[in-house]
Amino acid sequence: MYHTLDLHFQNLNHAIAAFLIETEGGPVIVESGPYSTFPSMEKGLADHGYKVSDVKHVLLSHIHFDHAGAAWAFAEQGATVYLHPFGADHMHDPTKLVASATMIYGDQMDTLWGKMEGIPKKKLRTVAHEEVLEIGGESFRALHTPGHAKHHIAWHWKDTIFTGDVAGVKIEGGPVVPPCPPPDINLEDWLHSIDLVLSKNPNKLALTHFGEEINPNIHMKELKEILKDWSLWIKDKWEAGMSNEEITPEFMSYTAQQLRDRGVSENGVKQYEAANPSWMSVAGLVRYWKKKQI
């Protein structure tokens, strides 16, 4: 059994999760969340009888701020952070990562994500595809699953796969949607990664955004369909000569209506937008189509 910790990002329920697995060797955390939500992380751990310093192992799906922004704070308290080889340099020295994000988020950086500091190399442990970590009597298999990000890992534990973003965003029983940020969205890789996850025959998917999915095959089929729908919708607008700034409000309206048509409340629409901002998917998918054209 694992515990889902709601990190209450932007004071919203069910936007960003972390996961706590209790082992014979102490607690293992999957996803650190951003540092802005660290008080919620501390409370979640305390609710299960742990302190941050009790956590010696943090497994990251990838290095985007909403998944990895607080990893340094665990490392500072003695944890080893496990991640994809492509992400290690950026976590050791996040200068470029922070600079790139600051160009996008500006003066919202601290409010959204909080600070991000470097992690000593001795506290970073890269893992190969299909490598198995043995921690406290439990086995965690790393599945390299690019598509959303080239440095993405889904973690397979028992009958559950902690999917990061490869299985999309699904909040409170609503439809699944794909987060498509720049710079390295790759639809072909993503579809292959979906098939890889399903090939492991999991009974459950644990989504960072948000919670447990008990019908993996149906979920992933719907994700493939909406990934195609969104990518082609944005391709049409881009090929018509629209800029990202022009596409974004139309895309926001288009996807919000998709959610409403599936019974999502107005508050739910806000939760989806917080977990998966429309401008981000526009930027990522336009970049994908531009690269395809080259």
Side-chain angles (χ1 to χ4, degrees):
M1 180 182 174
Y2 65 88
H3 306 286
T4 301
L5 308 182
D6 190 340
L7 299 183
H8 301 289
F9 178 65
Q10 298 291 283
N11 295 314
L12 290 169
N13 295 328
H14 302 168
I16 300 177
F19 303 98
L20 167 65
I21 299 105
E22 298 182 89
T23 79
E24 295 171 2
V28 172
I29 288 289
V30 181
E31 310 282 53
S32 74
Y35 190 66
S36 61
T37 64
F38 206 60
S40 292
M41 172 66 81
E42 290 177 305
K43 183 182 183 303
L45 287 169
D47 287 344
H48 296 283
Y50 298 109
K51 305 186 298 293
V52 171
S53 58
D54 294 326
V55 178
K56 301 305 180 190
H57 306 277
V58 177
L59 281 54
L60 300 180
S61 64
H62 59 304
I63 65 170
H64 293 166
F65 282 86
D66 51 335
H67 297 256
W72 66 269
F74 282 102
E76 196 173 65
Q77 294 285 323
T80 297
V81 176
Y82 302 83
L83 74 170
H84 194 288
F86 292 163
D89 287 346
H90 288 297
M91 294 300 284
H92 172 60
D93 179 4
T95 305
K96 291 181 180 178
L97 206 60
V98 172
S100 176
T102 301
M103 288 177 63
I104 296 170
Y105 297 106
D107 58 10
Q108 289 186 295
M109 273 292 290
D110 194 56
T111 302
L112 288 171
W113 312 121
K115 63 181 175 179
M116 189 173 192
E117 298 186 3
I119 298 174
K121 287 186 177 180
K122 66 182 180 180
K123 288 296 180 184
L124 293 170
R125 165 87 147 73
T126 61
V127 288
H129 178 51
E130 296 279 5
E131 183 175 346
V132 177
L133 304 177
E134 300 290 348
I135 301 173
E138 302 290 343
S139 298
F140 300 87
R141 183 181 297 273
L143 304 175
H144 286 197
T145 42
H148 168 81
K150 65 181 181 181
H151 55 273
H152 196 284
I153 291 175
W155 292 96
H156 191 184
W157 172 73
K158 295 186 175 179
D159 66 345
T160 299
I161 295 181
F162 299 94
T163 59
D165 281 340
V166 73
V169 171
K170 181 170 182 165
I171 297 172
E172 294 185 347
V176 59
V177 298
C180 298
D184 46 29
I185 287 296
N186 184 297
L187 300 185
E188 292 81 5
D189 284 351
W190 199 335
L191 294 173
H192 177 76
S193 292
I194 289 171
D195 290 340
L196 172 65
V197 168
L198 291 178
S199 75
K200 303 301 180 182
N201 297 311
N203 289 329
K204 289 176 283 189
L205 305 176
L207 280 62
T208 308
H209 316 290
F210 181 98
E212 188 170 274
E213 172 56 52
I214 60 171
N215 295 299
N217 286 291
I218 294 171
H219 176 92
M220 290 301 212
K221 179 175 181 289
E222 292 177 354
L223 177 58
K224 284 184 175 182
E225 290 170 354
I226 199 70
L227 191 56
K228 180 180 179 181
D229 177 83
W230 282 17
S231 63
L232 292 178
W233 189 95
I234 287 172
K235 181 173 184 276
D236 287 344
K237 301 295 182 183
W238 170 65
E239 288 182 338
M242 293 176 67
S243 67
N244 287 16
E245 291 73 22
E246 292 169 327
I247 296 171
T248 297
E250 289 193 23
F251 183 67
M252 188 181 293
S253 297
Y254 176 70
T255 56
Q257 192 57 51
Q258 285 183 324
L259 293 171
R260 294 186 192 105
D261 290 346
R262 292 286 300 273
V264 177
S265 68
E266 290 306 312
N267 185 61
V269 171
K270 291 179 183 177
Q271 288 175 294
Y272 269 91
E273 184 66 21
N276 187 27
S278 294
W279 66 264
M280 197 173 65
S281 288
V282 170
L285 286 166
V286 166
R287 181 181 172 88
Y288 166 78
W289 289 117
K290 283 181 178 177
K291 287 195 290 187
K292 287 279 283 186
Q293 194 179 61
I294 296 171

